[in-house]
């Protein structure tokens, strides 16, 4: 699903969510009330755009999508099924509440996950720059060690040359 989301641009996802919500709503309003299994399916289908909005846009996108679904579904609930929300329409009313609850849970989790990913990326970049500076310092230290060894070698050769020259001079 991440591959699919990466392939689509932000606007494409936005329009896809709107098309899905309005398609489900159109199906709700155009299906006869005697087809209760279809209406139950349509109510469940509202979760798809809510989840898609949550995963792509985070908490704010999920809440906006859930509220849009509620606004579009409640007139159907009220006028076609009656205003008895707590007795005969309790399952439908609960579904409306669940749209918002699912949006809060998945949107909040998605936003938290995006925040943690950004922190991880920042930490990775920080670690990468520190590693590069450590590698540069290690290379400088290796160069210093080589120059120090070369200096010691030069001093030893100089000492060995000076001893025979001092003997010859004496």
């Amino acid at each position: 699903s991440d591959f699919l989301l990466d392939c689509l641009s932000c606007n494409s996802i936005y329009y896809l969510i709107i098309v899905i919500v309005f398609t489900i709503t159109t199906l709700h309003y155009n299906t006869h009330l005697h087809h209760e299994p279809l209406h139950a399916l349509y109510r469940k289908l509202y979760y798809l755009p809510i989840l898609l909005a949550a995963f792509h846009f985070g908490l704010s996108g999920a809440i906006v999508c859930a509220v849009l679904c509620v606004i579009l579904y409640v007139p159907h609930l009220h006028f076609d099924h009656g205003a008895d929300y707590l007795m005969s329409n309790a399952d439908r009313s609960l579904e409306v509440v669940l749209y918002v609850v699912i949006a809060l849970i998945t949107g909040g989790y998605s936003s938290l996950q995006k925040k943690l990913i950004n922190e991880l990326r920042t930490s990775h970049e920080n670690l990468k720059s520190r590693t590069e500076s450590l590698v540069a310092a290690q290379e400088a230290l290796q160069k210093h060690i080589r120059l120090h060894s070369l200096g010691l070698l030069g001093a030893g050769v100089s000492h060995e040359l000076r001893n025979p020259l001092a003997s010859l001079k004496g």
Side-chain angles (χ1 to χ4, degrees), residues 59-121:
L59 180 61
S60 59
I63 290 174
V64 167
C65 186
V67 168
L68 177 65
C69 292
V70 168
I71 288 171
L72 292 174
Y73 176 68
V74 166
H76 171 73
L77 175 64
H78 181 77
F79 293 116
D80 292 340
H81 294 287
D84 187 13
Y85 298 113
L86 297 178
M87 295 304 279
S88 62
N89 289 327
D91 60 330
R92 294 175 187 97
S93 301
L94 179 61
E95 196 93 43
V96 170
V97 172
L98 284 177
Y99 295 155
V100 177
V101 170
I102 294 297
L104 288 170
I105 292 170
T106 58
Y109 182 73
S110 177
S111 292
L112 176 65
Q113 187 178 26
K114 286 180 181 186
K115 179 184 172 191
L116 292 174
I117 287 171
N118 286 337
E119 288 176 3
L120 185 62
R121 283 187 182 136

Side-chain angles (χ1 to χ4, degrees), residues 5 33 36 43 61 67 103 145 152:
L5 293 178
L33 292 177
E36 183 55 38
R43 284 194 313 270
V67 168
I145 290 171
L152 288 176

Side-chain angles (χ1 to χ4, degrees), residues 3 8 18 32 41 58 65 71 75-76 83 91 95 101 103 112 122 124 128 132 135 162 166 168:
F3 176 74
L8 299 172
I18 289 176
H32 195 274
L41 173 67
C65 186
I71 288 171
H76 171 73
D91 60 330
E95 196 93 43
V101 170
L112 176 65
T122 302
H124 174 71
K128 185 177 174 182
E132 289 170 355
V135 167
R162 221 178 293 144
L168 288 174

Side-chain angles (χ1 to χ4, degrees), residues 140-152:
L141 181 62
Q142 291 294 335
K143 183 179 178 183
H144 177 71
I145 290 171
R146 283 191 301 260
L147 288 174
H148 182 266
S149 298
L150 188 60
L152 288 176

